[in-house]
């Protein structure tokens, strides 16, 4: 069957911007940097995604959410492909995504290995509580100024 | 024998068995933060299992999936290191084991980045990022507990004394390893010993712990020749659903 090309790759990228990360709903899967490629041909749409952490249960939900959004826009034939190489890195988080994380109370990743400041009061006096947090991509930190605990998005 | 299949089972079974053991802490770890950390570590390991066993199933070409390999094989078909199947015992032993394994995985996965088998190199690249993070945490915890109180030091030394005779199995080359080395898939595991020893001596030194003075090494896990009595009990729990309802899906 030939699919009428009444949608473009750019349009699909825009629709994917509407798919939130299931664990961190303030950022989209595009902001998260897991969308590697979008291709449209006569066989339909192929979206290629890269898993954040190899065992992250959110990846199955992300694949399902992508299919749901594409179906809502009338796309009938679609494939979500997983590609593990090159491995996902937090360098692929968008600038917009990083700012939204901080607004939401999650310190964005830093190459230095720890948060620059508390996402709540912006104090730079912070300390690590645990190297792991509520999801595989986060660690637990605490602000020693306002005493609030907060999540830090691990840098990998 | 299909050496590549055998090699991939070893990689997959190591992370599957350690991942399951680690997951046994979920809900019962000594502190909430540790509970979360252990569950997340287990999740990484199970994720890596899906990659290794998925490729193993593909190489085997017998129509089995990663799930079939994980849930429908019995003890003697497993190819994991014995060290990874022994019970968790206490938190100290769990973290000491994680450390001894991480100290191997980091140089091992780093070497596999150069594999002539592109899929092996890709899986290694994905797993290495997680292994580096695990090594950071397991080293830190081993140092904290070893260089802690007299009691925590004694518990960590006991854990090391128990586990150390199992560590040598990681470096015991056999026909499969030689075939992998010859075909450019992987270096010999024995080539990792120097890097492993360096990491282990450094961390255990900082942790005020003493390396046992023994060259004895248990073996039989990675060849499947002889597992400990513990693996069968572990599989009975891990595979209970597929054993009771073969082929069940949901």
């Amino acid at each position: 069957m030939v699919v009428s090309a009444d949608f473009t790759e750019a349009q699909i990228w825009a629709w994917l911007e509407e798919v939130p990360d299931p664990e961190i709903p303030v950022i989209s899967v595009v902001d998260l940097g897991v969308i590697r490629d979008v291709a449209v041909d006569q066989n339909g749409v192929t979206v290629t995604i890269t898993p954040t952490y190899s065992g992250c249960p959110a990846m199955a939900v992300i694949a399902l959410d992508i299919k749901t959004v594409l179906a809502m826009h009338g796309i009938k034939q679609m494939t979500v492909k997983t590609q593990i190489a090159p491995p996902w890195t937090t360098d692929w988080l968008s600038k917009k995504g990083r700012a939204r994380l901080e607004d939401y109370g999650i310190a964005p990743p830093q190459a230095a290995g720890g948060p620059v400041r508390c996402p709540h009061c912006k104090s730079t006096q912070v300390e690590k509580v645990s190297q792991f947090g509520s999801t595989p991509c986060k660690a637990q930190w605490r602000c020693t100024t306002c005493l609030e605990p907060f999540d830090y998005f691990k840098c990998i | 024998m299909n050496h590549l299949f055998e090699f991939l089972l070893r990689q997959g079974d190591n992370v599957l068995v350690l991942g399951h053991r680690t997951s046994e802490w979920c809900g019962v770890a000594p502190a909430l933060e540790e509970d979360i950390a252990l569950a997340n570590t287990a999740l990484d390991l199970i994720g890596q299992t899906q990659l290794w066993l998925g490729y193993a199933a593909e190489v085997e070409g017998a129509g089995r999936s990663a799930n079939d390999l994980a849930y429908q094989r019995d003890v003697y078909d497993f190819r994991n290191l014995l060290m990874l199947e022994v019970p968790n015992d206490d938190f100290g032993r769990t973290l000491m084991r994680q450390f001894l394994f991480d100290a191997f995985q980091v140089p091992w996965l780093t070497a596999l980045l150069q594999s002539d088998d592109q899929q092996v190199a890709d899986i290694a690249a994905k797993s290495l990022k997680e292994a580096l993070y695990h090594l950071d945490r397991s080293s830190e915890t081993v140092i904290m507990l070893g260089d802690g109180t007299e009691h925590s030091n004694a518990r960590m030394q006991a854990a090391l004394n128990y586990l150390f005779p199992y560590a040598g199995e990681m470096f015991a080359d056999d026909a499969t390893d030689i075939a992998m080395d010859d075909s450019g898939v992987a270096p010999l595991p024995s080539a990792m010993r120097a890097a492993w020893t360096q990491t282990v001596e450094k961390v255990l030194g900082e942790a005020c712990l003493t390396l046992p003075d023994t060259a004895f090494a248990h073996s039989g896990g990675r060849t499947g020749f002889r597992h400990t009595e513990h693996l069968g009990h572990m599989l009975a729990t891990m595979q209970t659903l597929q054993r009771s309802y073969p082929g069940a899906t949901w």
Side-chain angles (χ1 to χ4, degrees):
Chain A
M1 165 187 155
V2 177
V3 177
S4 62
D6 49 3
F7 42 81
T8 61
E9 282 162 14
Q11 231 166 344
I12 290 165
W13 276 102
W15 293 336
L16 293 175
E17 285 273 8
E18 300 165 19
V19 180
D21 176 316
E23 298 281 358
I24 312 167
V26 289
I27 60 170
S28 75
V29 293
V30 176
D31 290 325
L32 185 63
V34 297
I35 312 290
R36 290 276 64 71
D37 188 46
V38 172
V40 179
D41 62 20
Q42 69 272 23
N43 297 317
V45 176
T46 304
V47 178
T48 306
I49 60 175
T50 296
T52 50
Y53 286 80
S54 50
C56 185
M59 294 315 295
V61 181
I62 287 175
L64 186 66
D65 289 350
I66 289 173
K67 287 185 176 174
T68 307
V69 163
L70 295 184
M72 276 164 49
H73 284 95
I75 295 172
K76 295 199 169 52
Q77 284 177 300
M78 61 191 103
T79 315
V80 176
K81 254 184 19 190
T82 301
Q83 177 189 313
I84 62 162
W88 179 80
T89 157
T90 36
D91 295 347
W92 294 346
L93 273 173
S94 72
K95 234 175 148 179
K96 171 163 65 83
R98 294 175 63 93
R100 285 194 179 165
L101 281 179
E102 190 167 12
D103 288 345
Y104 189 58
I106 300 172
Q110 304 294 341
V116 172
R117 58 184 182 181
C118 165
H120 307 298
C121 76
K122 316 299 179 202
S123 160
T124 54
Q125 304 300 305
V126 293
E127 64 181 18
K128 186 171 75 185
V129 177
S130 170
Q131 256 167 299
F132 287 89
S134 54
T135 64
C137 58
K138 287 178 280 169
Q140 293 174 65
W141 283 65
R142 170 169 51 214
C143 173
T144 55
T145 305
C146 73
L147 304 180
E148 282 294 321
F150 63 90
D151 273 335
Y152 164 63
F153 206 105
K154 285 153 43 175
C155 184
I156 69 163
Chain B
M1 185 192 276
N2 183 339
H3 286 301
L4 179 59
F5 176 60
E6 195 72 10
F7 167 82
L8 294 168
L9 283 184
R10 290 174 179 186
Q11 311 314 310
D13 287 348
N14 276 348
V15 279
L16 172 59
V17 170
L18 182 61
H20 185 81
R21 279 294 186 213
T22 309
S23 78
E24 291 174 357
W25 279 104
C26 190
V28 294
L32 184 59
E33 288 77 9
E34 294 308 328
D35 203 300
I36 291 170
L38 287 160
N40 273 303
T41 306
L43 202 56
D44 287 345
L45 294 168
I46 300 299
Q48 294 167 19
T49 304
Q50 288 173 332
L51 301 174
W52 288 119
L53 292 188
Y55 185 30
E58 193 184 315
V59 165
E60 186 192 30
R64 293 203 277 184
S65 65
N67 275 341
D68 295 337
L69 290 173
Y71 294 116
Q72 296 178 9
R73 281 181 302 150
D74 210 341
V75 172
Y76 288 99
D77 295 324
F78 270 75
R79 297 291 182 264
N80 59 283
L81 298 162
L82 297 176
M83 181 174 83
L84 307 178
E85 71 193 41
V86 296
N88 290 331
D89 192 49
D90 59 8
F91 180 69
R93 192 200 281 178
T94 302
L95 264 298
M96 179 60 79
R97 164 165 63 192
Q98 184 73 44
F99 166 68
L100 295 174
F101 181 65
D102 292 341
F104 176 82
Q105 283 297 82
V106 166
W108 178 242
L109 294 169
T110 305
L112 292 184
L113 297 177
Q114 309 302 323
S115 175
D116 287 344
D117 184 312
Q118 193 55 47
Q119 247 172 295
V120 167
D122 289 351
I123 298 172
K126 184 74 200 150
S127 306
L128 178 59
K129 288 192 169 215
E130 295 164 358
L132 281 164
Y133 203 79
H134 295 171
L135 179 62
D136 266 358
R137 170 168 176 277
S138 60
S139 308
E140 205 174 274
T141 317
V142 163
I143 293 169
M144 211 185 303
L145 290 172
D147 187 17
T149 64
E150 205 174 302
H151 181 69
S152 73
N153 175 274
R155 296 270 288 261
M156 291 310 275
Q157 187 65 52
L160 178 61
N161 293 350
Y162 178 86
L163 291 169
F164 195 73
Y166 289 101
E169 189 186 9
M170 294 191 283
F171 311 105
D173 304 334
D174 69 0
T176 292
D177 299 312
I178 292 166
M180 291 299 98
D181 188 33
D182 287 346
S183 56
V185 173
L188 292 173
S190 58
M192 303 298 120
R193 195 187 268 279
W196 180 82
T197 305
Q198 198 182 7
T199 307
V200 166
E201 283 179 350
K202 179 176 170 289
V203 170
L204 295 183
E206 279 184 58
C208 310
L209 297 169
T210 314
L211 267 181
D213 184 19
T214 172
F216 175 75
H218 292 287
S219 64
R222 65 197 297 273
T223 58
F225 173 67
R226 182 170 49 220
H227 281 279
T228 68
E229 67 186 283
H230 307 292
L231 183 61
H233 293 279
M234 195 201 96
L235 294 184
T237 305
M238 189 184 94
Q239 300 177 330
T240 182
L241 194 122
Q242 286 298 331
R243 286 178 185 224
S244 305
Y245 305 96
T249 56
W250 66 90

